[in-house]
Amino acid sequence: MQRPFRAHIGVAREDGAEKGGYSPIIFAVQIFHLLHCETLWLSPTPDRPSLGWDAGSIRIVTIGGFEHKVTRRRAVARNTHLDNDGGQSRKKSVAIILEAIKRIRSEWKSAGPGGSTEEPAVFLAGDFNCFPDHEAYLEMAASDLMVDLFHFVEPKKRYGEGFTFTGFEPHKYKEEQGRIDFIWLGSQGAVQTRRASEKNPNWQVEGYAKGFVMSIGVAIIGGGMLRAPTLWKRLRIAYTSSSSRYLCQRRASGKFSPALLKLHESKLTTGKPAVRQATENLTLKAIYSRSLKSAKSLGESLSSVDLYSDDAGSGKSYADLLKRDDIHAVIIALPILKQPDYIKQALKAGKHVLAEKPIAKDVATASELLKWYHDEIDTKKVSWSVAENFRYMDSFLYGTQQVKQMGRVLGFRTRMQTYVQPGSKYYETEWRKTPEYQGGFLLDGGVHFIAGTRLLLQPENAPTRVSAFTTQLQKHLPPVDTADATWKLKNGSSGTFAVSFGTTFGGSEYTVACEKGTVSVSRGMIVVTKDGKEVERKDLTSEGAGVKQEVKAWGEGIAASKQDSRQTPEEALKDLEILEAMLQSGERNGQPMDLKL
């Protein structure tokens, strides 16, 4: 059974169980750990159901201590409803609440940056049943522990009804209308406005009537795969490409839940950063490049952007970026040989990682990195994921569903052929022009096509043995640019896998033959045949590249403390093993190679 996304704490005020009114706190169980909950009665005997001083009804305050599963930062939430009859009870109730705030703040400290301790963020929501010029409100305001959110929002950013009490018949209660419901914030006595809040990440206020926020930060390192990242409610993002890195902040309102950052589909390495073309929900905050000149050239059309680079001076390195306690996860898309070091640095710094494919330059390097990850990193707290957008493309997912309905797999045919010419945007990078790793473009791009094929075949039809011939058709595409292979599958059948980056053939095709017919996926078009006749043609050509779906899944996995199985490094290693086996078979003139994973 799937866990509910929301839960609540709190008891009824009359008997401490189910009788009478509640002051509940509702929270997202996949995002927050519940550390503590209690109910205090607003009376001379707060530990049991009881009526306060001159109160007309029994009143309570519900208290919850929470820890964010990603950031490990803590928050204390309180909800109350003061008495509508007794002024003395309201004032004395505020005193009980303030004493509880002092106690909880001291008891529920958490680890902060540099080994320091950090008091939890605190907020109180409640119906005070009095206006701001009455004693209970003034008592709370004078405490220096809590501040009224209303006063930290510019008038133009306040919205909704100005009165929270109207007596339900406003025309009869004109003299008694005003605010009696309040949101109070407190953490070391500090609340900031939207602009100033960057100095204090506990509370960032953008408009009245919006709830509290705990920041989750994401650093995006590398440009090839970042086209539509999906993250959270308020998100700080640092983006790093092979030549330039960008630090952004995503702002949104509403509940703490995953939301989509819509970026244009163009790759960031093709010119000016596509990050700047995002919706208003994304604010570009900084650029990091190996040279300040490069950073400035990319940031020349951007305002209010901080520049980071290796030659920009103290405090502007990649290591400095990882020290930022407002960044909790990184997306890495750097040249193949550079990625392992960046991955290790980020994981050691306690950042979740989504790294671009392939997992590494070869199986040996990947296996060593994977062993280090499991030996040295607490994987329950920090996760390493490997991006593979083909596993998220709608056409492959739909095609997989059709294959499952078509009976036993009899064979398959995968073909992806193109010509990468000198001067093209994909070719004109030094690490691709003179690759220092096996396979050249076959490694860089081939794992995509392997992943798509494996997805259609599913684990029960996984390849167990491969035989291949490889060659270099174009002098500018070393060491090889073409592979033609046969895969033997787990169920005893076989199929062909042909990929080339150096041919005048063009196009792609992924076809699986089954007992009841065939399923073919090609450029977002899915064709299903039965008895030799086409029975369905589904057009998903507008699906995009699958990047936004994979980053969305990664973000949701972090929020839920449950990694998406399609993004585990073990899954990426299987793609690399097949590619490496084909290359080794080609070096041995087609000798069959057994797969172990």
Side-chain angles (χ1 to χ4, degrees):
M1 179 180 292
Q2 189 174 16
R3 294 172 61 198
F5 190 72
R6 307 281 177 191
H8 75 276
I9 58 173
V11 298
R13 66 192 188 189
E14 297 291 332
D15 62 356
E18 298 180 351
K19 183 179 179 181
Y22 289 74
S23 293
I25 297 171
I26 301 171
F27 66 100
V29 296
Q30 295 180 349
I31 295 175
F32 295 100
H33 288 298
L34 175 64
L35 302 177
H36 171 79
C37 65
E38 65 177 281
T39 298
L40 296 178
W41 276 263
L42 303 178
S43 75
T45 54
D47 61 335
R48 56 186 181 273
S50 48
L51 186 67
W53 302 280
D54 58 349
S57 303
I58 294 177
R59 301 291 180 172
I60 58 175
V61 58
T62 302
I63 304 170
F66 301 92
E67 182 177 78
H68 194 276
K69 291 183 177 181
V70 177
T71 68
R72 304 298 173 185
R73 297 184 67 197
R74 292 179 173 181
V76 177
R78 299 159 186 275
N79 189 19
T80 192
H81 187 178
L82 303 187
D83 195 66
N84 60 311
D85 288 337
Q88 182 185 14
S89 287
R90 288 194 295 269
K91 184 177 178 180
K92 289 183 177 291
S93 295
V94 167
I96 292 175
I97 293 171
L98 289 172
E99 283 302 312
I101 288 173
K102 294 176 185 178
R103 171 174 55 84
I104 296 294
R105 279 177 55 177
S106 176
E107 292 177 356
W108 291 98
K109 291 181 180 180
S110 59
S116 63
T117 57
E118 184 176 69
E119 290 187 350
V122 179
F123 82 90
L124 168 69
D127 179 351
F128 270 43
N129 265 315
C130 69
F131 298 126
D133 58 351
H134 290 182
E135 282 188 318
Y137 179 95
L138 295 173
E139 188 83 5
M140 181 68 72
S143 69
D144 290 330
L145 292 175
M146 307 295 288
V147 288
D148 184 353
L149 171 61
F150 179 86
H151 297 300
F152 287 85
V153 180
E154 301 172 42
K156 65 180 180 181
K157 295 185 180 298
R158 299 171 190 162
Y159 59 90
E161 179 56 63
F163 301 145
T164 63
F165 173 75
T166 63
F168 298 100
E169 296 179 283
H171 61 284
K172 293 184 180 181
Y173 298 93
K174 291 183 180 180
E175 301 301 321
E176 299 181 31
Q177 294 178 14
R179 287 196 307 133
I180 64 171
D181 303 282
F182 308 100
I183 297 174
W184 300 84
L185 305 181
S187 179
Q188 302 171 359
V191 179
Q192 306 287 343
T193 61
R194 176 175 179 174
R195 181 171 297 176
S197 64
E198 294 174 4
K199 300 176 182 177
N200 184 339
N202 283 330
W203 300 114
Q204 299 187 12
V205 181
E206 296 187 2
Y208 192 63
K210 296 185 180 180
F212 82 98
V213 179
M214 295 182 67
S215 296
I216 291 182
V218 172
I220 302 173
I221 303 157
M225 54 82 67
L226 177 64
R227 289 183 287 272
T230 302
L231 305 164
W232 297 269
K233 174 180 183 201
R234 178 183 303 277
L235 190 59
R236 286 203 176 97
I237 304 167
Y239 161 59
T240 308
S241 72
S242 55
S243 61
S244 305
R245 297 152 171 99
Y246 308 89
L247 177 61
C248 318
Q249 180 171 341
R250 181 253 194 277
R251 300 180 181 272
S253 60
K255 297 294 183 182
F256 199 110
S257 58
L260 177 63
L261 299 184
K262 296 181 180 177
L263 298 182
H264 285 254
E265 289 287 304
S266 57
K267 289 192 175 183
L268 295 176
T269 53
T270 61
K272 298 299 181 181
V275 170
R276 68 188 177 96
Q277 300 174 350
T279 67
E280 62 183 8
N281 288 333
L282 183 66
T283 303
L284 188 62
K285 300 295 290 184
I287 297 176
Y288 176 96
S289 178
R290 283 174 291 182
S291 72
L292 186 58
K293 179 180 178 181
S294 175
K296 286 181 176 179
S297 67
L298 286 165
E300 61 185 0
S301 62
L302 304 171
S303 60
S304 301
V305 173
D306 300 325
L307 301 181
Y308 283 68
S309 69
D310 293 342
D311 58 357
S314 177
K316 295 293 185 179
S317 68
Y318 175 64
D320 292 314
L321 184 149
L322 293 178
K323 292 177 183 177
R324 292 180 56 149
D325 59 10
D326 60 342
I327 292 177
H328 310 97
V330 298
I331 298 178
I332 300 177
L334 291 172
I336 294 169
L337 298 181
K338 293 183 177 294
Q339 290 213 144
D341 182 55
Y342 278 78
I343 291 169
K344 283 186 173 182
Q345 288 186 60
L347 289 170
K348 286 191 288 187
K351 316 298 184 184
H352 295 274
V353 171
L354 175 63
E356 175 68 299
K357 56 76 202 163
I359 183 175
K361 66 176 183 176
D362 52 41
V363 170
T365 302
S367 298
E368 181 182 347
L369 184 58
L370 189 57
K371 183 178 184 302
W372 173 88
Y373 169 59
H374 286 294
D375 289 347
E376 302 296 329
I377 301 299
D378 186 346
T379 58
K380 294 181 180 179
K381 295 181 178 179
V382 181
S383 63
W384 169 31
S385 300
V386 180
E388 178 44 71
N389 52 299
F390 272 48
R391 289 192 242 277
Y392 293 86
M393 293 177 68
D394 294 338
S395 56
F396 281 93
L397 294 174
Y398 186 80
T400 300
Q401 293 175 1
Q402 301 309 304
V403 170
K404 290 179 178 179
Q405 301 173 21
M406 299 287 279
R408 183 169 59 93
V409 169
L410 305 179
F412 74 94
R413 180 173 64 238
T414 293
R415 178 181 66 86
M416 206 303 299
Q417 295 163 321
T418 189
Y419 181 35
V420 177
Q421 301 187 40
S424 71
K425 62 184 179 182
Y426 298 111
Y427 179 76
E428 292 302 326
T429 51
E430 282 304 315
W431 62 278
R432 282 194 175 112
K433 290 169 70 173
T434 55
E436 299 178 9
Y437 47 83
Q438 63 178 342
F441 271 85
L442 289 180
L443 174 63
D444 193 20
V447 289
H448 277 315
F449 319 132
I450 291 171
T453 303
R454 288 183 56 233
L455 179 60
L456 289 171
L457 292 173
Q458 290 294 284
E460 58 267 29
N461 302 303
T464 58
R465 206 177 199 203
V466 301
S467 173
F469 290 97
T470 58
T471 188
Q472 182 183 353
L473 297 177
Q474 304 296 335
K475 292 182 179 180
H476 65 280
L477 297 175
V480 291
D481 56 24
T482 300
D484 291 287
T486 298
W487 296 5
K488 183 176 181 180
L489 305 185
K490 191 174 182 179
N491 72 348
S493 62
S494 63
T496 59
F497 183 94
V499 59
S500 178
F501 290 93
T503 182
T504 52
F505 283 129
S508 65
E509 173 194 6
Y510 301 78
T511 299
V512 179
C514 305
E515 287 179 311
K516 299 178 182 179
T518 65
V519 178
S520 180
V521 178
S522 180
R523 297 183 181 274
M525 188 70 70
I526 304 93
V527 177
V528 179
T529 68
K530 292 183 179 180
D531 298 324
K533 297 179 181 179
E534 182 179 313
V535 296
E536 181 182 5
R537 178 177 292 266
K538 191 171 184 66
D539 187 348
L540 294 174
T541 52
S542 61
E543 67 182 336
V547 175
K548 64 181 181 181
Q549 296 97 318
E550 71 175 334
V551 181
K552 179 177 184 293
W554 178 63
E556 290 175 343
I558 293 176
S561 297
K562 184 177 181 180
Q563 186 179 29
D564 190 312
S565 61
R566 292 172 290 182
Q567 297 177 342
T568 62
E570 289 83 359
E571 189 70 17
L573 183 56
K574 293 177 182 179
D575 297 333
L576 178 59
E577 183 197 29
I578 296 170
L579 190 285
E580 182 170 287
M582 291 193 300
L583 294 175
Q584 291 177 350
S585 176
E587 293 171 355
R588 295 166 173 77
N589 199 32
Q591 177 182 324
M593 307 294 293
D594 290 325
L595 302 174
K596 299 177 181 179
L597 300 178

